[in-house]
Amino acid sequence: MKYRLLGRTGVWVSEISLGAMTFGGKDHPIYRTLGGLQLDEVDRMVGTALDAGINFIDTADVYSDGESEQLLGQALKQRRRDVVLATKLHAPTGPGPNDNGLSRLHVMQALEDSLRRLGTDHIDLYQVHNFDHITPIEETLAALDDAVRQGKVRYIGCANLAAWQISKALGVSALHHRSAFVSVQAHYSLVSRDAERDLLPMVQAEGLGMTVWGPLAGGFLAGKVDRTGVVSDEGSRRNQDGFAQFPPIDREHGHDVVDVVRAVAARHGVSPAQVSLAWLLAQRGVTSVIVGARRLDQLAENIAASDLTLTDQDLAELDQVSALPLAYPNWIQAAFASARTPR
């Protein structure tokens, strides 16, 4: 396993990290379809990940209504010290009107609840899970800064925010000398390269870490669904309609991408999933790619992507088939960029 610095923190995290969305929720209407793993299965999953060198595990308080955090805490036990532990807050965790969002009230309560479920006295990376359009960012950042000063949180980060929202937050933190976001968690894959338009350039400019969720687009990039919608692996959690819904992708474009992914995989004698993950690891600005699994063989396959080095030809072919058209103002800035290059 290889390790990369998490932004400018000086903390090394594994370039493949374990996502815990598949933990728990056996009877949950949504999470049971994502995994529904129980304690014995979670124990094996976490043990396999740690033994392979993974030291970065990501969960959220909303996953399986808190059961993911609880099971993860039980599985870590004496190995808690070996892990950079990340969780998130924002989504509803109860029926009350204040059981969600990023108000000081909810931040403080959600933090205590996560600490209790995880069975730990601190969270290494505490992330806001989404944007709260009601609560001023100043209030949220002040509450998170208090948590850092209290020693209950080591670093703070964010997920699913727009580049301008993150930039504003960084400015507010700097203005008031408060703890600032050190990382961004974003959706990014060969069939979903929107992050390249604004998020990735901002991440690189600000020196933030970037962790990637949904790197296989819900399993689509594992190459187990053909153009007719036939699923070749009974263990695949979605049919083709499911792939098209979350995360949303252009299905026809996606199949064109998968065709090239399969060709590259055949050249290396590896799986399409490994190629898709290796492509992400080759992108500038990416710190760690979060993988989730329902089975140990899936996890082992994903971890092996860390050992795959794609050639320049591989990367060029994958880039060409998956490239997005430039969006404004990117295209006009690109058009004038050459004028700033000395001849």
Side-chain angles (χ1 to χ4, degrees):
M1 181 59 62
K2 304 180 187 72
Y3 300 88
R4 302 181 180 188
L5 285 171
L6 183 65
R8 293 173 175 163
T9 64
V11 174
W12 294 95
V13 294
S14 50
E15 66 178 14
I16 300 287
S17 44
L18 179 65
M21 186 183 280
T22 59
F23 297 179
K26 181 180 66 173
D27 300 317
H28 194 281
I30 296 175
Y31 288 96
R32 68 185 180 192
T33 66
L34 300 178
L37 302 184
Q38 296 305 288
L39 183 57
D40 58 338
E41 299 166 302
V42 171
D43 268 330
R44 289 194 292 271
M45 195 74 68
V46 171
T48 297
L50 296 183
D51 291 345
I54 287 178
N55 75 337
F56 190 20
I57 302 181
D58 178 83
T59 185
D61 58 7
V62 71
Y63 295 166
S64 299
D65 293 337
E67 191 179 2
S68 173
E69 288 185 329
Q70 181 182 1
L71 291 172
L72 177 57
Q74 291 177 268
L76 286 175
K77 296 178 182 176
Q78 302 304 315
R79 303 187 72 171
R80 168 67 182 92
R81 189 182 181 89
D82 300 332
V83 172
V84 177
L85 182 58
T87 192
K88 303 183 284 292
L89 80 151
H90 175 280
T93 53
N98 292 311
D99 290 331
N100 65 86
L102 298 174
S103 66
R104 171 178 286 275
L105 182 68
H106 184 61
V107 168
M108 295 307 213
Q109 186 62 60
L111 175 58
E112 295 300 329
D113 289 343
S114 286
L115 290 170
R116 184 188 70 254
R117 285 190 293 262
L118 288 164
T120 186
D121 63 355
H122 72 279
I123 292 166
D124 298 306
L125 179 61
Y126 199 39
Q127 306 157 106
V128 300
H129 207 163
N130 213 319
F131 184 68
D132 184 346
H133 67 283
I134 295 176
T135 306
I137 192 64
E138 291 83 356
E139 177 176 337
T140 301
L141 292 169
L144 292 171
D145 183 65
D146 286 346
V148 173
R149 293 175 186 274
Q150 292 164 4
K152 296 179 179 181
V153 170
R154 299 294 189 253
Y155 301 99
I156 61 173
C158 60
N160 304 313
L161 268 59
W164 73 265
Q165 294 164 341
I166 300 169
S167 295
K168 178 179 178 179
L170 293 175
V172 169
S173 292
L175 179 64
H176 297 287
H177 306 287
R178 292 178 178 143
S179 298
F181 293 148
V182 302
S183 64
V184 177
Q185 187 175 128
H187 177 49
Y188 188 25
S189 77
L190 272 166
V191 291
S192 212
R193 295 178 62 175
D194 301 298
E196 295 176 0
R197 287 177 166 149
D198 293 296
L199 270 175
L200 263 175
M202 182 275 301
V203 162
Q204 292 176 273
E206 298 295 342
L208 301 177
M210 181 169 176
T211 63
V212 175
W213 69 266
L216 298 179
F220 186 88
L221 285 166
K224 295 172 181 175
V225 177
D226 64 22
R227 292 178 185 271
T228 67
V230 174
V231 180
S232 61
D233 180 4
E234 292 182 0
S236 182
R237 73 173 186 240
R238 302 177 189 269
N239 58 26
Q240 192 179 30
D241 288 337
F243 286 126
Q245 293 168 10
F246 189 84
I249 63 172
D250 180 330
R251 186 179 302 177
E252 286 305 310
H253 172 69
H255 283 299
D256 291 339
V257 173
V258 170
D259 287 344
V260 176
V261 169
R262 287 196 184 103
V264 173
R267 282 204 293 264
H268 289 270
V270 298
S271 70
Q274 290 168 320
V275 169
S276 300
L277 296 173
W279 178 84
L280 279 169
L281 292 173
Q283 304 309 302
R284 292 181 61 190
V286 171
T287 304
S288 186
V289 176
I290 303 169
V291 300
R294 293 191 303 161
R295 304 191 312 256
L296 288 177
D297 63 303
Q298 292 174 329
L299 178 60
E301 177 185 336
N302 291 339
I303 291 173
S306 182
D307 297 324
L308 175 61
T309 300
L310 298 176
T311 66
D312 290 342
Q313 178 187 348
D314 297 331
L315 293 171
E317 291 177 5
L318 292 167
D319 286 341
Q320 182 177 6
V321 73
S322 64
L324 291 174
L326 287 178
Y328 177 83
N330 306 61
W331 58 262
I332 197 166
Q333 291 183 6
F336 283 87
S338 60
R340 296 289 296 157
T341 303
R343 290 181 172 84

